[in-house]
């Protein structure tokens, strides 16, 4: 067979050729933009020519601090398209972490949304490698800023050559993108994505038994473009000629519901907190969501109650997926097999709240205390992965040695696997609760609690215990209106029939809000400290 390199730029060239009329709909701060892939292609070529003029060379890092919109999409292709490296920076990280990752990645230029300029102005002095800034705005005049040199995206774009060629003299293993983990566990760690990895991952998103993204879809990525490349969707959707809807900086539940109705969105992706918000909005408003054929949920475990609401009340198929920054990210996808279609509704929801089976192309191993675990859904072990879109190291980081061992990526996620090969994430290694020598899964307890009608969010953490080593404590946020009617005893009684006695939380603490990470995951470390002081 021929050895032709798999390159990110070639995906865009394909869209230009075959899907020139298909649209990208993009909400920015001030405006709704509707562009075709022909427009996007021309603008990307102009951007590559501008970057070249500005001195960006092969291998240089091009940073972005931006929300989900068409300009961000353009940088997704322009940077790797000319041989540079797209570095999406998580806006919601702490200022210290943002400074660290920009310097660590050695970004040479940074593209910034106008509302994020003040943040960059604050850290400007600490950035050691950045030579230029570009602001993305619809306003005709440049915002006043202390950043220097600062260019306006639209202004410089128009000076670029609309016929500038994509680079083809590249190796498919060259870096195309990079992303830092969202720091649920410590200082962010960098992952470099190769062209080959991104292209093969895009193929995986098009498989009929995963997301099945196709030309006829209208895809709205709610997951931020700085969170593991919006789970790879912008690459795959562009390649397949899918209509893309970008909800922009103010992606409130109301806006999401309106966009779903207005643009007849067929598939949308985000973390559970996004869907909890949308669920509330759908309860209050009257929206037509009949176009939706799939809600994709990942990033943390989707509570069964949430899946049930979308599946049964709104008749929207809800798909649970699992992955991580290190895995580009798609690893497992939850779909009922053909012979599981006649399960009862309850059984189906239970099945759908598992994280699913491995996507073709990857390999997994689950290692427990005594080697590989049996597929009995009981034994727990750490999930190990390998495959063409799994990272082989952290970028210039000594922590690589712990996570990448003998050719396998150690995910730090503890799982069980059933006879079907369907995995269930039980916890992160550090979040499991060890009580009397046995393990308790905080995730299991959380999901069970969130199935109670009064519970909006629940997070279970371990507290040290003299007798048992650790004991679980539940932190709960109630839905409005339930504050005076539901107490600790009722929730414990609700859990009792579902768990062994020693699994039941010792206490339930009611809170107004559960602290979350930059991408909407429960911040267990902080919660553990809060609970200790309680
Ligand atoms: P961080 O590692 O900083 O949280 P990531 O966004 O890469 O950043 O998170 C990956 C982790 O998120 C996984 O290792 C896993 O613990 C968790 N995760 C992702 N998807 C799911 C899911 N569907 N269910 C449970 N946990 C998930």
């Amino acid at each position: 067979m021929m050895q032709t390199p798999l390159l990110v730029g070639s995906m865009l060239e394909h869209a230009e050729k075959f899907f020139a009329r298909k649209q990208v709909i993009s909400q920015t701060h001030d405006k709704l933009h509707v562009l075709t892939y022909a427009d996007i292609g021309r603008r990307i070529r102009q951007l590559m020519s501008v970057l070249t003029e500005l001195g960006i060379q092969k291998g240089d890092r091009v940073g972005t601090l931006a929300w989900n919109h068409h300009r961000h999409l353009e940088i997704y292709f322009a940077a790797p398209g000319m041989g540079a490296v797209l570095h999406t920076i998580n806006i919601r990280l702490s200022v210290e972490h943002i400074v660290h990752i920009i310097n660590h990645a050695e970004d040479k230029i940074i593209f910034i949304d106008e509302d994020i300029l003040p943040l960059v102005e604050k850290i400007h002095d600490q950035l050691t490698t950045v030579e230029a800034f570009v602001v993305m705005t619809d306003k005709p005049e440049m915002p006043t800023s202390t950043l220097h040199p600062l260019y306006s995206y639209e202004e410089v774009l128009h000076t670029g050559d609309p016929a500038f060629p994509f680079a083809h003299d590249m190796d498919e293993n060259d870096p195309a993108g990079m992303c830092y983990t969202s720091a649920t566990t410590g200082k962010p760690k960098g992952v470099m994505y190769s062209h080959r990895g991104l292209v093969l991952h895009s193929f995986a998103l098009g498989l009929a038994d995963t997301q099945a993204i196709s030309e006829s879809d209208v895809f709205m990525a709610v997951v931020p473009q700085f969170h593991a490349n919006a789970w790879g969707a912008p690459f795959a959707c562009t390649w397949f000629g899918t209509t893309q809807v970008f909800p922009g900086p103010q992606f409130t539940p109301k806006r999401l519901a309106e966009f779903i109705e207005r643009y007849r969105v067929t598939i949308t992706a985000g973390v559970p907190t996004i869907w909890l918000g949308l669920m509330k909005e759908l309860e209050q408003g009257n929206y037509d969501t009949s176009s939706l054929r799939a809600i994709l949920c990942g990033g943390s475990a989707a509570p069964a109650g949430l899946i049930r609401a979308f599946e049964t009340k709104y008749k929207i198929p809800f798909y649970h997926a699992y992955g991580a920054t290190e895995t580009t990210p798609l690893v497992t996808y939850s779909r009922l097999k053909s012979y599981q279609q006649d399960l009862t509704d309850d059984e189906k929801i239970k099945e759908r709240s598992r994280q699913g089976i491995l996507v073709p192309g990857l390999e997994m191993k689950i290692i427990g205390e005594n080697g590989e675990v049996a597929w009995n859904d009981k034994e727990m072990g750490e999930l190990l992965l390998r495959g063409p879109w799994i990272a082989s190291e952290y970028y210039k980081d000594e922590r690589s040695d712990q996570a990448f061992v003998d050719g396998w990526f150690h995910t730090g996620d503890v799982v069980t696997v059933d006879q079907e090969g369907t995995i269930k994430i039980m916890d992160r290694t550090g979040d499991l609760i060890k009580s009397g020598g046995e393990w308790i899964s905080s995730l299991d307890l959380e999901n069970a609690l969130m199935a109670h009608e009064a519970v909006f969010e629940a997070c279970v953490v371990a507290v040290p215990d003299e007798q048992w080593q650790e004991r679980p404590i539940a932190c709960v946020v109630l839905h409005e209106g339930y504050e005076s009617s539901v107490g600790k005893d009722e929730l414990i009684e609700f859990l009792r029939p579902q768990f062994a006695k020693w699994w039941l939380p010792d206490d339930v603490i009611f809170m107004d809000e559960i602290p979350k990470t930059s991408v909407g995951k429960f911040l267990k470390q902080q919660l553990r400290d809060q609970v200790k002081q309680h």
Side-chain angles (χ1 to χ4, degrees), residues 163-220:
F164 194 89
F166 282 91
H168 285 279
D169 57 340
M170 276 189 281
D171 190 305
E172 61 178 10
N173 296 303
D174 284 347
M178 75 183 302
C179 195
Y180 282 71
T181 60
S182 57
T184 309
T185 49
K187 206 155 142 194
K189 292 172 265 190
V191 175
M192 273 286 190
Y193 303 111
S194 65
H195 284 264
R196 175 184 157 82
L198 290 175
V199 173
L200 289 174
H201 181 263
S202 302
F203 269 122
L205 299 188
L207 296 176
D209 285 332
T210 67
Q211 300 182 12
I213 299 176
S214 81
E215 182 275 334
S216 57
D217 274 314
V218 179
F219 196 110
M220 180 168 73

Side-chain angles (χ1 to χ4, degrees), residues 85 147 252 328 349 401 524 529:
V85 180
L147 296 180
T252 57
T328 313
I349 300 292
D401 292 351
K524 294 208 168 173
D529 294 342

Side-chain angles (χ1 to χ4, degrees), residues 56-64 75-76 78-88 105 107-109 174-179 191-193 195:
I56 300 299
Q57 293 176 0
K58 195 166 176 237
D60 283 347
R61 257 75 74 200
V62 174
T64 61
I75 309 164
Y76 260 54
M82 58 178 290
V85 180
L86 165 78
H87 173 207
T88 52
D107 290 340
K108 208 160 170 194
I109 184 166
D174 284 347
M178 75 183 302
C179 195
V191 175
M192 273 286 190
Y193 303 111
H195 284 264

Side-chain angles (χ1 to χ4, degrees), residues 216-276:
S216 57
D217 274 314
V218 179
F219 196 110
M220 180 168 73
V222 185
V223 50
Q225 282 179 267
F226 55 74
H227 185 193
N229 296 324
W231 301 345
F235 292 118
C237 289
T238 304
W239 197 16
F240 302 154
T242 308
T243 302
Q244 292 183 77
V245 177
F246 289 97
Q250 285 102 26
F251 52 101
T252 57
K254 187 165 187 301
R255 171 167 289 171
L256 299 181
E258 283 170 359
F259 274 22
I260 290 167
E261 177 174 297
R262 191 178 315 152
Y263 301 116
R264 309 291 301 151
V265 170
T266 61
I267 171 165
T268 177
V271 294
T273 39
I274 294 288
W275 307 129
L276 283 167

Side-chain angles (χ1 to χ4, degrees), residues 181-184 227 299-301 320-325 355 413 428 521:
T181 60
S182 57
T184 309
H227 185 193
S300 41
H320 199 187
Y322 159 84
T325 306
Q355 280 76 6
D413 289 317
R428 289 221 160 177
K521 302 182 191 194

